Amino acid sequence: MTESVLDVRGVSIWKGLLDKPSQDAMVADLREVATAAPFRRYETPGGRRMSVRMTAAGDLGWVTDRSGYRYDPMQPDGDRWPGIPTSILDVWNTVSGTSRPPDSCLVNFYGEGAKMGMHQDRDETDTSWPVVSISLGDSALFRVGGTSRGGATESVWLDSGDVAVLAGAARLAFHGIDRIRFGSSSLLPEGGRINVTLRVAG
Ligand code: MD3
Ligand code: FE
């Protein structure tokens, strides 16, 4: 097994944690999630439509609309979110360092040209729980800084099968995705990137 852990400004990145069969199994599970809870392009409170498409699984899903960012037990159409697939919970159990299960699994899809601006993740009730992030499909240029906006940043490519763990001071680091290398991976036949983040949100 070829696997190593990188430290990028306190973010632990397990390179190549998931092998191809595990990635394929996870994509199949995520297709079922997307059947029960379709990907949507949300509007920010400021009225901008995000380029990333999102859905979720678990007790709480992260959503945004004109009234704000929040974790919601319901999809925008009023249905509950589907359960978090076991293949994804297994990754949390391997790397999170906690026995408390996540209650929220955000699924981000990046098509050609999609990106995510620098932000902090602070909509969770208790931000001291770790966040675990799984990258699938096309490679993405991930940027991470410190706990205040505008300071020095460092960039690293996240590739399919990489898993990042955000804990300690890095949990409140500013971070974003500058761009993806569309078509760099054959995991998703139509191209694009999926990022799955697991959290204790409520
Ligand atoms: C650093 N997702 O969903 S994953 C997000 O690739 C988000 O879709 C990006 O930022 C993506 O909020 C980045 C890596 C990541 C995830 C959560 C973090 C880095 C983080 C939380 C705190 C600090
Ligand atoms: Fe984030």
Side-chain angles (χ1 to χ4, degrees), residues 13-193:
I13 302 173
W14 299 49
K15 294 297 296 179
L17 181 68
L18 303 176
D19 62 14
K20 179 68 159 59
S22 314
Q23 295 173 41
D24 284 333
M26 206 174 276
V27 169
D29 289 344
L30 288 168
R31 288 192 193 283
E32 291 197 25
V33 167
T35 299
F39 282 98
R40 299 173 171 95
R41 279 185 72 192
Y42 293 130
E43 206 175 345
T44 65
R48 284 207 285 254
R49 182 107 13 216
M50 298 181 76
S51 58
V52 177
R53 290 174 156 75
M54 297 180 163
T55 187
D59 293 338
L60 295 168
W62 186 87
V63 298
T64 171
D65 57 21
R66 291 309 287 262
S67 65
Y69 305 126
R70 64 189 176 278
Y71 282 95
D72 202 309
M74 310 280 205
Q75 301 186 39
D77 67 5
D79 287 346
R80 302 299 299 253
W81 303 98
I84 304 177
T86 305
S87 60
I88 291 173
L89 291 172
D90 287 346
V91 175
W92 173 270
N93 292 331
T94 302
V95 303
S96 74
T98 173
S99 57
R100 168 121 178 216
D103 56 16
S104 180
C105 173
L106 177 65
V107 186
N108 296 156
F109 176 77
Y110 294 73
E112 191 161 18
K115 56 191 162 60
M116 189 180 287
M118 295 291 281
H119 66 278
Q120 284 175 301
D121 287 18
R122 44 187 309 165
D123 299 326
E124 301 76 23
T125 302
D126 178 352
T127 57
S128 66
W129 294 102
V131 174
V132 170
S133 147
I134 305 167
S135 291
L136 296 167
D138 290 342
S139 299
L141 189 56
F142 171 65
R143 183 196 293 265
V144 57
T147 52
S148 50
R149 191 181 281 281
T153 65
E154 208 174 316
S155 294
V156 63
W157 285 95
L158 294 177
D159 304 316
S160 197
D162 292 353
V163 175
V165 183
L166 305 311
R171 175 64 181 76
L172 286 173
F174 276 85
H175 60 280
I177 296 292
D178 287 345
R179 58 194 162 89
I180 69 163
R181 228 179 233 151
F182 187 77
S184 57
S185 163
S186 58
L187 185 74
L188 305 174
E190 317 273 276
R193 169 176 188 260

